[in-house]
Amino acid sequence: MINYIWPLAIIVLSNIVYQICAKGIPEQMNTYASMTVTYAVATLFSALMFFITTKGGNLLKEFKLANWATVVLGIVITGLEVGFIYAYKAGWKVSTLATVTNAFLAIGLLFLGFFMYHEVINWSKILGVVICLVGLWFINR
């Protein structure tokens, strides 16, 4: 059970701190310069964690296992980061931006799961989409 919960806790805590940091990027700083610093730190931290969590691991050997998804993920993550930073610079509130984007994400992933992974869409999922849409209406009032 703990193996099921601890990743969720990391995601939630990291996402809270992420939103604080994304909103805290200086408005006058070029977003891509900010991302360069961010990813330099992320690269160093990831390499450090690799060596801490992998006894006798060979990072270069691991790089050979990378596929298209690893490369595209780097591009997509940059899009996520840049989107949030620009949204905050445009005036979105930290209390609503993530909620709005995550509601649309949940709806999009429901259809993605159905069409790409043949996941079942049942009445409870449809009700969940309706609740998301009603929630968006309340949030944006």
Side-chain angles (χ1 to χ4, degrees):
M1 181 63 132
I2 191 73
N3 287 337
Y4 194 72
I5 294 174
W6 78 263
L8 180 65
I10 290 173
I11 292 167
V12 171
L13 179 62
S14 295
N15 222 318
I16 290 169
V17 176
Y18 167 86
Q19 296 300 331
I20 293 167
C21 293
K23 187 158 180 65
I25 301 294
E27 192 168 322
Q28 62 276 17
M29 183 177 195
N30 179 285
T31 301
Y32 292 99
S34 169
M35 295 307 302
T36 302
V37 173
T38 298
Y39 284 114
V41 172
T43 299
L44 294 173
F45 181 73
S46 295
L48 175 67
M49 291 306 295
F50 172 80
F51 290 113
I52 289 172
T53 62
T54 308
K55 295 195 182 352
N58 183 334
L59 190 55
L60 295 177
K61 183 178 175 185
E62 293 293 324
F63 287 167
K64 292 178 184 175
L65 298 174
N67 66 1
W68 67 269
T70 306
V71 174
V72 172
L73 185 60
I75 295 167
V76 171
I77 288 173
T78 303
L80 285 169
E81 313 284 355
V82 167
F84 273 108
I85 292 168
Y86 278 126
Y88 284 130
K89 286 182 177 185
W92 276 85
K93 292 179 175 31
V94 74
S95 61
T96 56
L97 179 60
T99 305
V100 170
T101 58
N102 282 322
F104 283 117
L105 175 64
I107 293 166
L109 289 176
L110 182 73
F111 290 107
L112 177 85
F114 177 75
F115 289 113
M116 285 191 66
Y117 299 102
H118 310 291
E119 296 174 359
V120 176
I121 296 179
N122 54 31
W123 285 107
S124 65
K125 290 181 182 178
I126 292 170
L127 181 60
V129 167
V130 171
I131 291 169
C132 282
L133 293 173
V134 169
L136 287 175
W137 181 77
F138 277 110
I139 285 171
N140 289 301
R141 288 188 61 182

